[in-house]
Amino acid sequence: MTAGGRPAADAEEDKGGLRTALAGLTTRGRSFLAAGIAAAVCAYVLGQGDLLRVGLLLAVLPLVCATVLFRTRYRVAGSRRLSPARVPAGSEARVHLRMDNVSRLPTGLLMLQDRVPYVLGPRPRFVLDRVEAGGRREVSYRVRSDLRGRYPLGPLQLRLTDPFGMCELTRSFSTYDTLTVIPQVEPLPAVRLTGEAKGYGDGRNRSLALAGEDDVIPRGYRHGDDLRRVHWRSTARYGELMVRREEQPQRARCTVLLDTRSIGFRGAGPDSAFEWAVSGTASALVHMLERGFSVRLLTDTGTSVPGEGSDGFAGASQESADAAGLMMDTLAVIDHSDGAGLSRAYDVLRGGNEGLLVAFLGDLDEEQAAVAAKMRQRSGSAVAFVLDSAGWAQGPGGLVSDAGDARVRMLREAGWTALAVPPGAGLGDLWRQADHARTSAGPAPAAGTTTGGWG
């Protein structure tokens, strides 16, 4: 049996020989063997030749089946395909299995089994009828997980059996695939965001590439360029036709900060505050990429994703889909950090040209609240969603503690648009509240008044 090469178990089976074959005897096969041996012993003691022949038949039948099955060399190729390979938590993915008989002989009855982690559901098993020479069989099953993560699927196993059911042998393929379960992404409403300039498209500003005739940065002539843009001084210098660059669209920037400190969150599971923060981070990242922003993911440890170039933002050389996939893969496996503060994240924020800062923060003591407050000085504008573990521990309807309210007020005084997140709140509603807090002179509904720079 092969799958682009010999299965991993074949070498062991060759070494095991008859011992491996006998280990594959089923209950029926062992019963026949025991009955045959008992009958042979009784025939010898009693001197009954007919009983001895019956005993030998009973004992030899399972041994012959085991030997024939062990010597059978099916050449079978197996493959697995995930649809999709990246799925949000709580959604289903379908796994397609394909078996090809690449030998000239038909196979017998095959039992197909795939190994999956218990969190994805029960282990799937299929019975495949006789596969003709050059034939193919395709089966599929569904997997689902409420917990994000990366889960291995495989290796694929084939259980071979003889027509009498005396022996079963299991042979495994060596390859496996990985299913990535990413956080749930909530669609967010379109609001006016920092960095958008009317007439230039979402999330983009215009910056002139020409600061003057002496500061021009020309490029080589391309077919179809307007000859009126030819820069003759550079043409004479470089000895080839050079043209002035046009105005270049500059993508507005957004940094999404996720607080992963273990001391900042309590509880675990799909409904915990930390999982809400991870899901909110994923939603904000996807939303900002869709709006045309150049985005990066930043954690309290100072890790920046995707980390392209020196600034760490997903720039024009990296497609938005690729950047989103990289950040979603990171969020799929992100866990609590052992850090106690936000100083590393503060150091990554260089200040002045960071654009919009969106932060999902856990419990903050006075010292960490002061560090977070200083982050506002290193961004163009900032909005924070603060999760209070004491309120989340009370479940739906829990109230934000006095300490949580004090930290939110401290961030607002520093210029943040800060909102306390009650247990089970929807990010879409909080997103609207942040926009209302920016545009309305009155208090934001269910969130209190805010000051600072959402827009």
Side-chain angles (χ1 to χ4, degrees):
M1 183 185 67
T2 60
R6 298 190 62 186
D10 276 3
E12 297 179 2
E13 291 171 352
D14 291 341
K15 295 178 181 179
L18 183 60
R19 182 183 302 174
T20 304
L22 293 178
L25 289 176
T26 62
T27 302
R28 179 186 298 179
R30 293 176 181 177
S31 299
F32 267 65
L33 182 59
I37 294 175
V41 172
C42 292
Y44 176 77
V45 173
L46 301 175
Q48 297 292 327
D50 294 338
L51 182 58
L52 178 60
R53 285 190 289 271
V54 173
L56 291 177
L57 176 63
L58 293 177
V60 169
L61 181 59
L63 296 179
V64 171
C65 291
T67 302
V68 172
L69 185 62
F70 178 75
R71 293 300 179 184
T72 300
R73 295 298 181 185
Y74 294 133
R75 297 184 61 202
V76 180
S79 62
R80 183 190 299 102
R81 178 172 57 87
L82 305 182
S83 179
R86 185 187 291 119
V87 63
S91 300
E92 290 184 344
R94 183 168 291 274
V95 183
H96 301 269
L97 303 177
R98 172 177 163 176
M99 301 300 300
D100 294 278
N101 182 11
V102 297
S103 66
R104 298 180 180 179
L105 298 177
T107 69
L109 186 67
L110 301 178
M111 286 179 285
L112 187 64
Q113 176 178 279
D114 204 10
R115 290 186 178 181
V116 300
Y118 72 94
V119 296
L120 298 182
R123 181 171 296 181
R125 294 180 175 89
F126 305 94
V127 177
L128 304 181
D129 294 332
R130 176 178 178 271
V131 182
E132 66 278 4
R136 174 190 306 169
R137 295 290 186 272
E138 294 184 1
V139 294
S140 65
Y141 63 93
R142 293 177 295 181
V143 291
R144 179 181 181 274
S145 174
D146 293 328
L147 301 175
R148 56 186 175 81
R150 293 173 61 87
Y151 301 101
L153 301 179
L156 194 62
Q157 293 181 330
L158 277 181
R159 298 174 63 188
L160 312 178
T161 183
D162 65 279
F164 300 101
M166 298 289 179
C167 183
E168 280 186 358
L169 292 180
T170 301
R171 297 178 177 176
S172 300
F173 295 93
S174 58
T175 58
Y176 65 92
D177 293 278
T178 301
L179 175 68
T180 303
V181 181
I182 63 175
Q184 292 183 346
V185 176
E186 180 180 349
L188 301 181
V191 298
R192 184 71 173 173
L193 301 174
T194 297
E196 294 181 342
K198 185 175 180 180
Y200 293 147
D202 291 345
R204 289 177 171 83
N205 290 328
R206 291 281 183 171
S207 62
L208 292 177
L210 298 180
E213 189 68 16
D214 295 333
D215 299 323
V216 66
I217 305 177
R219 62 169 175 82
Y221 176 83
R222 299 171 186 170
H223 180 72
D225 285 339
D226 191 347
L227 293 177
R228 290 176 295 182
R229 293 174 46 222
V230 173
H231 189 254
W232 298 108
R233 182 181 301 176
S234 299
T235 299
R237 177 184 303 174
Y238 294 105
E240 60 176 317
L241 204 59
M242 307 292 290
V243 296
R244 295 184 179 90
R245 294 181 183 270
E246 293 179 329
E247 292 180 348
Q248 301 291 328
Q250 182 180 3
R251 301 180 67 173
R253 291 180 169 184
C254 175
T255 298
V256 181
L257 171 64
L258 173 61
D259 180 9
T260 64
R261 297 171 301 124
S262 57
I263 62 175
F265 297 91
R266 303 176 190 172
D271 298 327
S272 64
F274 181 69
E275 292 301 322
W276 190 98
V278 174
S279 178
T281 300
S283 302
L285 288 169
V286 172
H287 179 75
M288 302 308 291
L289 284 171
E290 291 176 348
R291 297 298 296 271
F293 278 68
S294 183
V295 179
R296 72 174 171 184
L297 168 64
L298 181 64
T299 67
D300 59 288
T301 62
T303 304
S304 179
V305 180
E308 177 186 290
S310 59
D311 55 5
F313 288 86
S317 61
Q318 187 171 14
E319 296 294 336
S320 296
D322 296 336
L326 180 59
M327 288 184 281
M328 291 301 105
D329 289 344
T330 302
L331 292 176
V333 296
I334 201 167
D335 203 354
H336 292 291
S337 68
D338 297 330
L342 302 172
S343 58
R344 292 184 180 179
Y346 172 77
D347 293 337
V348 174
L349 298 174
R350 297 177 304 174
N353 59 347
E354 294 299 322
L356 176 63
L357 174 61
V358 180
F360 293 85
L361 305 174
D363 291 335
L364 300 173
D365 55 23
E366 186 174 355
E367 180 182 356
Q368 298 310 314
V371 175
K374 291 191 297 183
M375 291 182 182
R376 175 64 182 87
Q377 303 172 2
R378 297 197 168 188
S379 64
S381 57
V383 58
F385 300 96
V386 184
L387 292 88
D388 180 63
S389 294
W392 277 77
Q394 302 173 16
L399 300 178
V400 180
S401 65
D402 294 339
D405 282 334
R407 304 303 177 236
V408 171
R409 288 194 300 269
M410 186 174 180
L411 293 179
R412 291 172 180 171
E413 292 173 356
W416 284 79
T417 299
L419 298 177
V421 181
L427 181 59
D429 295 334
L430 295 174
W431 202 260
R432 292 189 184 91
Q433 292 177 21
D435 181 58
H436 180 84
R438 176 184 66 86
T439 58
S440 175
T449 58
T450 62
T451 61
W454 171 261

